[in-house]
Amino acid sequence: MMSTAALALLAAAVLAALIAGGIRVRRANRERHAALTRGLREMSDRLDSLARELAEALERVRVEGLRARILESLGGTLDLDEVLVRCAEAAGSLSGVAASAITVEIDGSPHVAAVGVDPSAVGPIVGPPGKEAARAVGLSYHYREGSSAAEQMLSAVAVPVESQHGRLGFLAVFGRDEAPPVAGTDFLTLEAIAGHAGPAIDRAWRTSTSPAPATDILTGLANRQALHETLALEVARAHRAGESLAVCVLDVDNLSEANAHLGQPGADRLLGQIAALLCEPRLPRERVFRCGGDEFAVVLPSAGRIDAEATFARVQASLGRLPRALGFTPSLSAGIAELKPDDDGVSLFERAERALRHAKATRKGKGTAA
Protein backbone atom coordinates (compact mmCIF):
# COMPACT_ATOMS: atom_id res chain seq x y z
CA MET A 1 0.00 0.00 0.00
CA MET A 2 1.08 3.55 -0.68
CA SER A 3 2.19 5.58 2.26
CA THR A 4 0.46 8.71 3.30
CA ALA A 5 3.39 10.77 2.03
CA ALA A 6 3.25 9.12 -1.35
CA LEU A 7 -0.47 9.76 -1.60
CA ALA A 8 0.08 13.37 -0.72
CA LEU A 9 2.73 13.72 -3.38
CA LEU A 10 0.47 12.10 -5.97
CA ALA A 11 -2.41 14.39 -5.06
CA ALA A 12 -0.15 17.39 -5.31
CA ALA A 13 1.05 16.28 -8.74
CA VAL A 14 -2.49 15.75 -9.97
CA LEU A 15 -3.53 19.15 -8.61
CA ALA A 16 -0.54 20.81 -10.25
CA ALA A 17 -1.40 19.14 -13.56
CA LEU A 18 -5.01 20.29 -13.30
CA ILE A 19 -3.95 23.83 -12.49
CA ALA A 20 -1.47 23.88 -15.41
CA GLY A 21 -4.14 22.52 -17.75
CA GLY A 22 -6.61 25.14 -16.58
CA ILE A 23 -4.06 27.84 -17.16
CA ARG A 24 -3.41 26.52 -20.70
CA VAL A 25 -7.17 26.38 -21.40
CA ARG A 26 -7.66 29.95 -20.16
CA ARG A 27 -4.66 31.12 -22.20
CA ALA A 28 -6.02 29.37 -25.31
CA ASN A 29 -9.45 30.90 -24.69
CA ARG A 30 -7.90 34.35 -24.33
CA GLU A 31 -5.93 33.87 -27.54
CA ARG A 32 -9.02 32.69 -29.43
CA HIS A 33 -11.00 35.63 -28.05
CA ALA A 34 -8.22 38.04 -29.04
CA ALA A 35 -8.05 36.53 -32.54
CA LEU A 36 -11.85 36.78 -32.88
CA THR A 37 -11.74 40.40 -31.70
CA ARG A 38 -9.00 41.22 -34.23
CA GLY A 39 -10.97 39.51 -36.99
CA LEU A 40 -14.13 41.40 -36.13
CA ARG A 41 -12.20 44.67 -35.99
CA GLU A 42 -10.59 44.01 -39.37
CA MET A 43 -13.98 43.09 -40.86
CA SER A 44 -15.48 46.27 -39.42
CA ASP A 45 -12.63 48.33 -40.88
CA ARG A 46 -13.12 46.71 -44.30
CA LEU A 47 -16.86 47.35 -44.17
CA ASP A 48 -16.23 50.99 -43.19
CA SER A 49 -13.78 51.32 -46.08
CA LEU A 50 -16.25 49.77 -48.52
CA ALA A 51 -19.00 52.08 -47.25
CA ARG A 52 -16.75 55.13 -47.78
CA GLU A 53 -15.82 53.96 -51.28
CA LEU A 54 -19.49 53.37 -52.11
CA ALA A 55 -20.45 56.82 -50.80
CA GLU A 56 -17.65 58.42 -52.84
CA ALA A 57 -18.71 56.50 -55.95
CA LEU A 58 -22.34 57.56 -55.49
CA GLU A 59 -21.24 61.17 -55.05
CA ARG A 60 -19.18 60.97 -58.25
CA VAL A 61 -22.16 59.54 -60.12
CA ARG A 62 -24.42 62.30 -58.71
CA VAL A 63 -21.98 65.05 -59.69
CA GLU A 64 -21.29 63.60 -63.13
CA GLY A 65 -25.02 63.14 -63.75
CA LEU A 66 -25.70 66.73 -62.67
CA ARG A 67 -22.94 68.06 -64.92
CA ALA A 68 -24.19 65.99 -67.87
CA ARG A 69 -27.73 67.34 -67.45
CA ILE A 70 -26.44 70.89 -67.17
CA LEU A 71 -24.22 70.65 -70.22
CA GLU A 72 -26.99 69.04 -72.28
CA SER A 73 -29.30 71.86 -71.20
CA LEU A 74 -26.80 74.53 -72.28
CA GLY A 75 -26.41 72.90 -75.68
CA GLY A 76 -30.17 72.60 -76.17
CA THR A 77 -30.93 76.18 -77.19
CA LEU A 78 -29.64 78.83 -79.54
CA ASP A 79 -31.50 81.70 -77.86
CA LEU A 80 -29.10 83.97 -75.96
CA ASP A 81 -31.49 84.92 -73.17
CA GLU A 82 -32.40 81.28 -72.62
CA VAL A 83 -28.72 80.26 -72.48
CA LEU A 84 -28.12 82.86 -69.76
CA VAL A 85 -31.20 81.81 -67.78
CA ARG A 86 -30.20 78.14 -67.98
CA CYS A 87 -26.70 79.00 -66.73
CA ALA A 88 -28.13 80.90 -63.77
CA GLU A 89 -30.60 78.09 -63.00
CA ALA A 90 -27.87 75.45 -63.17
CA ALA A 91 -25.63 77.41 -60.80
CA GLY A 92 -28.56 78.11 -58.49
CA SER A 93 -29.30 74.38 -58.20
CA LEU A 94 -26.00 73.68 -56.39
CA SER A 95 -26.30 72.86 -52.68
CA GLY A 96 -25.68 75.79 -50.35
CA VAL A 97 -26.50 78.38 -53.03
CA ALA A 98 -29.24 80.90 -52.19
CA ALA A 99 -29.09 82.84 -55.49
CA SER A 100 -27.11 83.03 -58.70
CA ALA A 101 -26.44 85.44 -61.53
CA ILE A 102 -24.52 85.60 -64.77
CA THR A 103 -23.29 88.95 -66.05
CA VAL A 104 -21.68 89.19 -69.48
CA GLU A 105 -20.87 91.90 -72.00
CA ILE A 106 -21.08 91.13 -75.72
CA ASP A 107 -20.08 93.73 -78.30
CA GLY A 108 -20.38 96.38 -75.60
CA SER A 109 -23.90 95.33 -74.65
CA PRO A 110 -24.46 94.08 -71.06
CA HIS A 111 -26.63 91.03 -70.41
CA VAL A 112 -27.74 89.73 -67.01
CA ALA A 113 -29.77 86.73 -65.86
CA ALA A 114 -30.38 85.89 -62.21
CA VAL A 115 -32.20 83.38 -60.01
CA GLY A 116 -33.17 84.21 -56.42
CA VAL A 117 -32.07 87.82 -56.70
CA ASP A 118 -33.27 90.86 -58.66
CA PRO A 119 -31.14 91.10 -61.85
CA SER A 120 -31.14 94.90 -61.55
CA ALA A 121 -29.43 94.58 -58.17
CA VAL A 122 -26.50 92.63 -59.62
CA GLY A 123 -23.74 95.03 -60.55
CA PRO A 124 -20.75 94.30 -62.78
CA ILE A 125 -18.22 91.86 -61.34
CA VAL A 126 -14.55 92.38 -62.18
CA GLY A 127 -11.50 90.32 -61.40
CA PRO A 128 -8.30 91.59 -59.76
CA PRO A 129 -5.85 93.57 -61.89
CA GLY A 130 -2.82 91.84 -63.34
CA LYS A 131 -1.85 89.55 -66.16
CA GLU A 132 -2.87 86.33 -64.43
CA ALA A 133 -6.53 85.44 -64.89
CA ALA A 134 -8.27 84.71 -61.59
CA ARG A 135 -9.80 81.29 -61.20
CA ALA A 136 -12.50 82.73 -58.92
CA VAL A 137 -13.43 85.96 -57.18
CA GLY A 138 -14.72 85.98 -53.59
CA LEU A 139 -17.15 88.67 -52.48
CA SER A 140 -18.61 89.62 -49.10
CA TYR A 141 -21.44 91.97 -48.20
CA HIS A 142 -22.38 94.16 -45.24
CA TYR A 143 -25.83 95.67 -44.71
CA ARG A 144 -27.19 98.62 -42.82
CA GLU A 145 -28.92 97.84 -39.54
CA GLY A 146 -32.61 97.11 -40.05
CA SER A 147 -32.32 95.78 -43.61
CA SER A 148 -34.36 92.69 -44.47
CA ALA A 149 -32.53 89.52 -43.46
CA ALA A 150 -34.49 87.51 -46.05
CA GLU A 151 -32.77 89.38 -48.87
CA GLN A 152 -29.27 89.53 -47.42
CA MET A 153 -26.43 87.72 -49.15
CA LEU A 154 -23.30 87.58 -47.01
CA SER A 155 -20.91 85.89 -49.41
CA ALA A 156 -20.46 85.09 -53.07
CA VAL A 157 -18.10 83.25 -55.39
CA ALA A 158 -17.79 84.29 -59.04
CA VAL A 159 -15.98 82.36 -61.76
CA PRO A 160 -15.07 83.87 -65.13
CA VAL A 161 -17.05 83.10 -68.27
CA GLU A 162 -14.76 83.03 -71.28
CA SER A 163 -15.00 82.25 -74.98
CA GLN A 164 -12.48 82.06 -77.78
CA HIS A 165 -12.74 85.87 -78.03
CA GLY A 166 -11.76 86.46 -74.40
CA ARG A 167 -13.54 87.06 -71.14
CA LEU A 168 -17.27 87.71 -71.41
CA GLY A 169 -18.08 88.20 -67.72
CA PHE A 170 -18.73 86.19 -64.56
CA LEU A 171 -21.06 83.52 -63.23
CA ALA A 172 -21.70 84.15 -59.53
CA VAL A 173 -23.39 82.22 -56.73
CA PHE A 174 -24.51 83.79 -53.44
CA GLY A 175 -24.86 82.43 -49.90
CA ARG A 176 -26.62 83.63 -46.76
CA ASP A 177 -23.70 83.11 -44.38
CA GLU A 178 -20.06 84.15 -44.40
CA ALA A 179 -18.75 80.78 -45.63
CA PRO A 180 -18.31 80.44 -49.41
CA PRO A 181 -21.55 79.11 -50.94
CA VAL A 182 -19.69 76.46 -52.97
CA ALA A 183 -16.61 74.33 -52.34
CA GLY A 184 -15.13 71.02 -53.43
CA THR A 185 -17.09 69.23 -56.14
CA ASP A 186 -19.74 71.96 -56.21
CA PHE A 187 -17.06 74.54 -57.04
CA LEU A 188 -15.75 72.28 -59.83
CA THR A 189 -19.30 71.95 -61.15
CA LEU A 190 -19.68 75.74 -61.09
CA GLU A 191 -16.46 76.00 -63.13
CA ALA A 192 -17.80 73.40 -65.57
CA ILE A 193 -21.01 75.41 -66.03
CA ALA A 194 -19.04 78.60 -66.68
CA GLY A 195 -16.66 76.73 -69.00
CA HIS A 196 -19.52 75.57 -71.22
CA ALA A 197 -21.46 78.81 -70.91
CA GLY A 198 -18.89 80.77 -72.94
CA PRO A 199 -19.13 78.67 -76.14
CA ALA A 200 -22.93 78.40 -75.75
CA ILE A 201 -23.22 82.19 -75.45
CA ASP A 202 -20.93 82.66 -78.46
CA ARG A 203 -23.00 80.24 -80.52
CA ALA A 204 -26.30 81.86 -79.54
CA TRP A 205 -24.94 85.34 -80.28
CA ARG A 206 -23.67 84.31 -83.72
CA THR A 207 -27.03 82.70 -84.48
CA SER A 208 -28.94 85.84 -83.48
CA THR A 209 -26.73 88.14 -85.58
CA SER A 210 -26.17 85.90 -88.62
CA PRO A 211 -28.75 83.11 -88.80
CA ALA A 212 -27.57 79.97 -90.55
CA PRO A 213 -29.46 78.82 -93.64
CA ALA A 214 -32.32 76.48 -92.79
CA THR A 215 -31.62 73.97 -95.56
CA ASP A 216 -28.69 71.92 -96.79
CA ILE A 217 -27.66 73.03 -100.28
CA LEU A 218 -26.70 69.57 -101.60
CA THR A 219 -29.80 67.61 -100.57
CA GLY A 220 -32.40 70.32 -100.01
CA LEU A 221 -33.12 68.84 -96.56
CA ALA A 222 -33.40 70.89 -93.40
CA ASN A 223 -30.08 71.14 -91.55
CA ARG A 224 -28.87 70.34 -88.03
CA GLN A 225 -30.06 73.63 -86.56
CA ALA A 226 -33.56 73.01 -87.91
CA LEU A 227 -33.39 69.45 -86.52
CA HIS A 228 -32.77 70.68 -82.98
CA GLU A 229 -35.49 73.30 -83.25
CA THR A 230 -37.94 70.65 -84.49
CA LEU A 231 -36.92 68.21 -81.75
CA ALA A 232 -37.43 70.82 -79.05
CA LEU A 233 -40.97 71.47 -80.31
CA GLU A 234 -41.84 67.79 -80.87
CA VAL A 235 -40.51 66.68 -77.46
CA ALA A 236 -42.51 69.40 -75.70
CA ARG A 237 -45.64 68.42 -77.67
CA ALA A 238 -45.16 64.69 -76.97
CA HIS A 239 -44.69 65.30 -73.24
CA ARG A 240 -47.82 67.47 -73.09
CA ALA A 241 -49.94 64.97 -75.01
CA GLY A 242 -48.45 61.88 -73.39
CA GLU A 243 -47.52 60.52 -76.83
CA SER A 244 -44.51 58.60 -78.09
CA LEU A 245 -41.70 60.01 -80.22
CA ALA A 246 -38.69 58.38 -81.84
CA VAL A 247 -35.54 59.58 -83.58
CA CYS A 248 -33.52 57.57 -86.08
CA VAL A 249 -30.03 58.87 -86.93
CA LEU A 250 -28.47 57.28 -90.02
CA ASP A 251 -24.88 57.34 -91.23
CA VAL A 252 -23.48 56.28 -94.62
CA ASP A 253 -20.99 53.47 -94.10
CA ASN A 254 -17.53 53.96 -95.60
CA LEU A 255 -18.23 57.24 -97.35
CA SER A 256 -14.50 57.54 -98.06
CA GLU A 257 -14.80 54.31 -100.07
CA ALA A 258 -17.67 55.87 -101.99
CA ASN A 259 -15.44 58.86 -102.76
CA ALA A 260 -12.70 56.50 -103.96
CA HIS A 261 -15.05 54.51 -106.21
CA LEU A 262 -17.38 57.24 -107.39
CA GLY A 263 -15.37 60.44 -107.05
CA GLN A 264 -16.67 63.48 -105.21
CA PRO A 265 -19.49 64.19 -107.70
CA GLY A 266 -20.62 60.56 -107.55
CA ALA A 267 -20.52 60.53 -103.73
CA ASP A 268 -22.60 63.72 -103.72
CA ARG A 269 -25.13 62.07 -106.02
CA LEU A 270 -25.26 59.10 -103.63
CA LEU A 271 -26.06 61.44 -100.72
CA GLY A 272 -28.79 63.01 -102.83
CA GLN A 273 -30.23 59.56 -103.62
CA ILE A 274 -30.26 58.65 -99.93
CA ALA A 275 -32.06 61.92 -99.14
CA ALA A 276 -34.67 61.09 -101.81
CA LEU A 277 -35.15 57.59 -100.35
CA LEU A 278 -35.69 59.07 -96.90
CA CYS A 279 -38.33 61.45 -98.24
CA GLU A 280 -40.68 58.72 -99.41
CA PRO A 281 -44.45 59.35 -98.95
CA ARG A 282 -44.45 57.82 -95.46
CA LEU A 283 -41.67 60.20 -94.38
CA PRO A 284 -42.63 63.85 -95.06
CA ARG A 285 -39.67 66.03 -96.03
CA GLU A 286 -40.13 68.25 -92.96
CA ARG A 287 -39.29 65.22 -90.75
CA VAL A 288 -36.00 64.42 -92.51
CA PHE A 289 -32.75 66.29 -91.87
CA ARG A 290 -29.13 66.24 -92.99
CA CYS A 291 -27.21 66.83 -89.78
CA GLY A 292 -23.65 66.14 -90.92
CA GLY A 293 -21.48 65.28 -93.90
CA ASP A 294 -22.69 61.68 -94.11
CA GLU A 295 -25.33 61.76 -91.37
CA PHE A 296 -29.10 62.06 -91.65
CA ALA A 297 -31.86 62.11 -89.04
CA VAL A 298 -35.55 61.23 -89.13
CA VAL A 299 -38.00 62.50 -86.49
CA LEU A 300 -41.00 60.19 -86.04
CA PRO A 301 -43.89 61.74 -84.04
CA SER A 302 -46.34 59.32 -82.40
CA ALA A 303 -43.92 56.48 -83.10
CA GLY A 304 -41.75 54.19 -81.02
CA ARG A 305 -38.62 52.08 -81.40
CA ILE A 306 -40.32 49.41 -83.52
CA ASP A 307 -41.62 52.05 -85.97
CA ALA A 308 -38.14 53.56 -86.24
CA GLU A 309 -36.58 50.14 -86.84
CA ALA A 310 -39.15 49.46 -89.59
CA THR A 311 -38.33 52.83 -91.19
CA PHE A 312 -34.63 52.04 -91.16
CA ALA A 313 -35.25 48.58 -92.65
CA ARG A 314 -37.31 50.09 -95.51
CA VAL A 315 -34.64 52.68 -96.31
CA GLN A 316 -31.84 50.09 -96.13
CA ALA A 317 -33.75 47.79 -98.47
CA SER A 318 -34.42 50.63 -100.94
CA LEU A 319 -30.75 51.61 -100.81
CA GLY A 320 -29.79 48.04 -101.72
CA ARG A 321 -31.83 48.35 -104.91
CA LEU A 322 -29.90 51.37 -106.21
CA PRO A 323 -27.84 50.75 -109.38
CA ARG A 324 -24.35 49.52 -108.54
CA ALA A 325 -21.46 51.72 -109.66
CA LEU A 326 -17.85 50.55 -109.91
CA GLY A 327 -18.49 47.68 -107.54
CA PHE A 328 -19.44 49.89 -104.59
CA THR A 329 -22.41 48.74 -102.50
CA PRO A 330 -23.71 51.51 -100.22
CA SER A 331 -25.16 50.76 -96.80
CA LEU A 332 -26.34 52.66 -93.73
CA SER A 333 -25.92 52.23 -90.00
CA ALA A 334 -28.52 53.63 -87.62
CA GLY A 335 -28.97 54.69 -84.02
CA ILE A 336 -32.49 54.79 -82.63
CA ALA A 337 -33.86 56.42 -79.48
CA GLU A 338 -37.39 56.51 -78.11
CA LEU A 339 -38.59 59.40 -75.93
CA LYS A 340 -38.28 58.89 -72.16
CA PRO A 341 -40.16 60.88 -69.48
CA ASP A 342 -37.06 62.91 -68.51
CA ASP A 343 -35.85 63.56 -72.08
CA ASP A 344 -35.50 66.90 -73.76
CA GLY A 345 -34.62 67.34 -77.42
CA VAL A 346 -30.89 67.31 -76.74
CA SER A 347 -30.81 64.17 -74.58
CA LEU A 348 -33.09 62.29 -77.01
CA PHE A 349 -30.84 63.11 -79.98
CA GLU A 350 -27.64 62.35 -78.07
CA ARG A 351 -28.93 58.91 -77.08
CA ALA A 352 -29.64 58.20 -80.75
CA GLU A 353 -26.15 59.37 -81.70
CA ARG A 354 -24.56 57.16 -79.01
CA ALA A 355 -26.50 54.20 -80.40
CA LEU A 356 -25.27 55.10 -83.89
CA ARG A 357 -21.64 55.20 -82.73
CA HIS A 358 -22.11 51.78 -81.13
CA ALA A 359 -23.57 50.41 -84.37
CA LYS A 360 -20.69 51.85 -86.43
CA ALA A 361 -18.15 50.33 -84.05
CA THR A 362 -19.70 46.87 -83.72
CA ARG A 363 -22.13 46.08 -86.55
CA LYS A 364 -22.00 48.35 -89.59
CA GLY A 365 -25.03 48.14 -91.82
CA LYS A 366 -27.30 47.51 -88.84
CA GLY A 367 -29.36 49.56 -86.42
CA THR A 368 -28.90 49.84 -82.66
CA ALA A 369 -31.47 51.19 -80.19
CA ALA A 370 -30.44 53.26 -77.16
PDB file of all heavy atoms in Angstrom, residues 5 54 69 88 110 128 141 173 210 234 260 264-265 314 362:
ATOM      1  N   ALA A   5       2.553   9.759   2.705  1.00  0.00           N
ATOM      2  CA  ALA A   5       3.388  10.774   2.032  1.00  0.00           C
ATOM      3  C   ALA A   5       3.311  10.630   0.524  1.00  0.00           C
ATOM      4  O   ALA A   5       3.237  11.615  -0.221  1.00  0.00           O
ATOM      5  CB  ALA A   5       4.843  10.635   2.512  1.00  0.00           C
ATOM      6  N   LEU A  54     -18.174  53.334 -51.481  1.00  0.00           N
ATOM      7  CA  LEU A  54     -19.490  53.368 -52.109  1.00  0.00           C
ATOM      8  C   LEU A  54     -20.067  54.780 -52.067  1.00  0.00           C
ATOM      9  O   LEU A  54     -20.624  55.267 -53.055  1.00  0.00           O
ATOM     10  CB  LEU A  54     -20.430  52.388 -51.407  1.00  0.00           C
ATOM     11  CG  LEU A  54     -21.880  52.344 -51.925  1.00  0.00           C
ATOM     12  CD1 LEU A  54     -21.902  51.962 -53.402  1.00  0.00           C
ATOM     13  CD2 LEU A  54     -22.710  51.370 -51.113  1.00  0.00           C
ATOM     14  N   ARG A  69     -26.437  66.696 -67.206  1.00  0.00           N
ATOM     15  CA  ARG A  69     -27.735  67.338 -67.453  1.00  0.00           C
ATOM     16  C   ARG A  69     -27.570  68.828 -67.727  1.00  0.00           C
ATOM     17  O   ARG A  69     -28.242  69.394 -68.596  1.00  0.00           O
ATOM     18  CB  ARG A  69     -28.661  67.112 -66.261  1.00  0.00           C
ATOM     19  CG  ARG A  69     -29.145  65.684 -66.109  1.00  0.00           C
ATOM     20  CD  ARG A  69     -30.291  65.599 -65.130  1.00  0.00           C
ATOM     21  NE  ARG A  69     -29.938  66.056 -63.800  1.00  0.00           N
ATOM     22  CZ  ARG A  69     -29.367  65.284 -62.873  1.00  0.00           C
ATOM     23  NH1 ARG A  69     -29.084  64.019 -63.142  1.00  0.00           N
ATOM     24  NH2 ARG A  69     -29.099  65.759 -61.673  1.00  0.00           N
ATOM     25  N   ALA A  88     -27.796  80.441 -65.126  1.00  0.00           N
ATOM     26  CA  ALA A  88     -28.130  80.896 -63.774  1.00  0.00           C
ATOM     27  C   ALA A  88     -28.892  79.821 -63.010  1.00  0.00           C
ATOM     28  O   ALA A  88     -28.637  79.585 -61.825  1.00  0.00           O
ATOM     29  CB  ALA A  88     -28.938  82.192 -63.851  1.00  0.00           C
ATOM     30  N   PRO A 110     -24.392  94.920 -72.255  1.00  0.00           N
ATOM     31  CA  PRO A 110     -24.462  94.079 -71.055  1.00  0.00           C
ATOM     32  C   PRO A 110     -25.690  93.176 -71.071  1.00  0.00           C
ATOM     33  O   PRO A 110     -26.763  93.568 -71.537  1.00  0.00           O
ATOM     34  CB  PRO A 110     -24.540  95.096 -69.917  1.00  0.00           C
ATOM     35  CG  PRO A 110     -25.188  96.295 -70.532  1.00  0.00           C
ATOM     36  CD  PRO A 110     -24.753  96.317 -71.968  1.00  0.00           C
ATOM     37  N   PRO A 128      -9.409  90.752 -60.213  1.00  0.00           N
ATOM     38  CA  PRO A 128      -8.301  91.589 -59.757  1.00  0.00           C
ATOM     39  C   PRO A 128      -7.414  92.010 -60.919  1.00  0.00           C
ATOM     40  O   PRO A 128      -7.367  91.321 -61.944  1.00  0.00           O
ATOM     41  CB  PRO A 128      -7.548  90.662 -58.792  1.00  0.00           C
ATOM     42  CG  PRO A 128      -7.875  89.285 -59.263  1.00  0.00           C
ATOM     43  CD  PRO A 128      -9.272  89.348 -59.788  1.00  0.00           C
ATOM     44  N   TYR A 141     -20.494  90.859 -48.233  1.00  0.00           N
ATOM     45  CA  TYR A 141     -21.442  91.974 -48.196  1.00  0.00           C
ATOM     46  C   TYR A 141     -21.725  92.364 -46.744  1.00  0.00           C
ATOM     47  O   TYR A 141     -21.725  91.518 -45.852  1.00  0.00           O
ATOM     48  CB  TYR A 141     -22.765  91.589 -48.880  1.00  0.00           C
ATOM     49  CG  TYR A 141     -22.590  91.153 -50.321  1.00  0.00           C
ATOM     50  CD1 TYR A 141     -22.321  89.824 -50.625  1.00  0.00           C
ATOM     51  CD2 TYR A 141     -22.672  92.070 -51.354  1.00  0.00           C
ATOM     52  CE1 TYR A 141     -22.151  89.420 -51.940  1.00  0.00           C
ATOM     53  CE2 TYR A 141     -22.520  91.671 -52.672  1.00  0.00           C
ATOM     54  CZ  TYR A 141     -22.252  90.351 -52.959  1.00  0.00           C
ATOM     55  OH  TYR A 141     -22.081  89.945 -54.254  1.00  0.00           O
ATOM     56  N   VAL A 173     -22.418  82.850 -57.632  1.00  0.00           N
ATOM     57  CA  VAL A 173     -23.389  82.217 -56.730  1.00  0.00           C
ATOM     58  C   VAL A 173     -23.291  82.906 -55.376  1.00  0.00           C
ATOM     59  O   VAL A 173     -22.206  83.323 -54.944  1.00  0.00           O
ATOM     60  CB  VAL A 173     -23.144  80.699 -56.592  1.00  0.00           C
ATOM     61  CG1 VAL A 173     -23.483  79.990 -57.884  1.00  0.00           C
ATOM     62  CG2 VAL A 173     -21.709  80.395 -56.188  1.00  0.00           C
ATOM     63  N   SER A 210     -26.307  86.408 -87.243  1.00  0.00           N
ATOM     64  CA  SER A 210     -26.174  85.904 -88.615  1.00  0.00           C
ATOM     65  C   SER A 210     -26.775  84.508 -88.699  1.00  0.00           C
ATOM     66  O   SER A 210     -26.044  83.516 -88.616  1.00  0.00           O
ATOM     67  CB  SER A 210     -24.702  85.875 -89.039  1.00  0.00           C
ATOM     68  OG  SER A 210     -23.940  85.119 -88.114  1.00  0.00           O
ATOM     69  N   GLU A 234     -41.173  69.097 -80.870  1.00  0.00           N
ATOM     70  CA  GLU A 234     -41.842  67.792 -80.866  1.00  0.00           C
ATOM     71  C   GLU A 234     -41.767  67.122 -79.493  1.00  0.00           C
ATOM     72  O   GLU A 234     -42.719  66.464 -79.063  1.00  0.00           O
ATOM     73  CB  GLU A 234     -41.237  66.884 -81.941  1.00  0.00           C
ATOM     74  CG  GLU A 234     -41.582  67.276 -83.357  1.00  0.00           C
ATOM     75  CD  GLU A 234     -43.082  67.169 -83.626  1.00  0.00           C
ATOM     76  OE1 GLU A 234     -43.767  66.387 -82.939  1.00  0.00           O
ATOM     77  OE2 GLU A 234     -43.563  67.868 -84.541  1.00  0.00           O
ATOM     78  N   ALA A 260     -13.743  57.148-103.166  1.00  0.00           N
ATOM     79  CA  ALA A 260     -12.698  56.505-103.958  1.00  0.00           C
ATOM     80  C   ALA A 260     -13.277  55.847-105.210  1.00  0.00           C
ATOM     81  O   ALA A 260     -12.680  55.902-106.291  1.00  0.00           O
ATOM     82  CB  ALA A 260     -11.970  55.461-103.104  1.00  0.00           C
ATOM     83  N   GLN A 264     -15.863  62.571-106.013  1.00  0.00           N
ATOM     84  CA  GLN A 264     -16.673  63.478-105.206  1.00  0.00           C
ATOM     85  C   GLN A 264     -18.046  63.745-105.821  1.00  0.00           C
ATOM     86  O   GLN A 264     -19.062  63.686-105.114  1.00  0.00           O
ATOM     87  CB  GLN A 264     -15.931  64.800-104.993  1.00  0.00           C
ATOM     88  CG  GLN A 264     -16.629  65.762-104.031  1.00  0.00           C
ATOM     89  CD  GLN A 264     -16.723  65.187-102.626  1.00  0.00           C
ATOM     90  OE1 GLN A 264     -15.730  64.773-102.056  1.00  0.00           O
ATOM     91  NE2 GLN A 264     -17.926  65.165-102.057  1.00  0.00           N
ATOM     92  N   PRO A 265     -18.147  63.983-107.122  1.00  0.00           N
ATOM     93  CA  PRO A 265     -19.489  64.193-107.695  1.00  0.00           C
ATOM     94  C   PRO A 265     -20.387  62.977-107.516  1.00  0.00           C
ATOM     95  O   PRO A 265     -21.582  63.117-107.217  1.00  0.00           O
ATOM     96  CB  PRO A 265     -19.198  64.475-109.172  1.00  0.00           C
ATOM     97  CG  PRO A 265     -17.796  64.976-109.205  1.00  0.00           C
ATOM     98  CD  PRO A 265     -17.086  64.211-108.130  1.00  0.00           C
ATOM     99  N   ARG A 314     -36.797  49.719 -94.183  1.00  0.00           N
ATOM    100  CA  ARG A 314     -37.312  50.089 -95.512  1.00  0.00           C
ATOM    101  C   ARG A 314     -36.267  50.879 -96.298  1.00  0.00           C
ATOM    102  O   ARG A 314     -36.043  50.620 -97.489  1.00  0.00           O
ATOM    103  CB  ARG A 314     -38.596  50.917 -95.378  1.00  0.00           C
ATOM    104  CG  ARG A 314     -39.827  50.127 -94.992  1.00  0.00           C
ATOM    105  CD  ARG A 314     -41.099  50.905 -95.312  1.00  0.00           C
ATOM    106  NE  ARG A 314     -41.133  52.206 -94.666  1.00  0.00           N
ATOM    107  CZ  ARG A 314     -41.612  52.432 -93.448  1.00  0.00           C
ATOM    108  NH1 ARG A 314     -42.103  51.420 -92.734  1.00  0.00           N
ATOM    109  NH2 ARG A 314     -41.620  53.648 -92.942  1.00  0.00           N
ATOM    110  N   THR A 362     -19.520  48.299 -83.954  1.00  0.00           N
ATOM    111  CA  THR A 362     -19.698  46.870 -83.720  1.00  0.00           C
ATOM    112  C   THR A 362     -20.413  46.126 -84.843  1.00  0.00           C
ATOM    113  O   THR A 362     -20.180  44.945 -85.043  1.00  0.00           O
ATOM    114  CB  THR A 362     -20.476  46.634 -82.421  1.00  0.00           C
ATOM    115  OG1 THR A 362     -21.760  47.267 -82.514  1.00  0.00           O
ATOM    116  CG2 THR A 362     -19.734  47.210 -81.228  1.00  0.00           C
TER     117      THR A 362
END
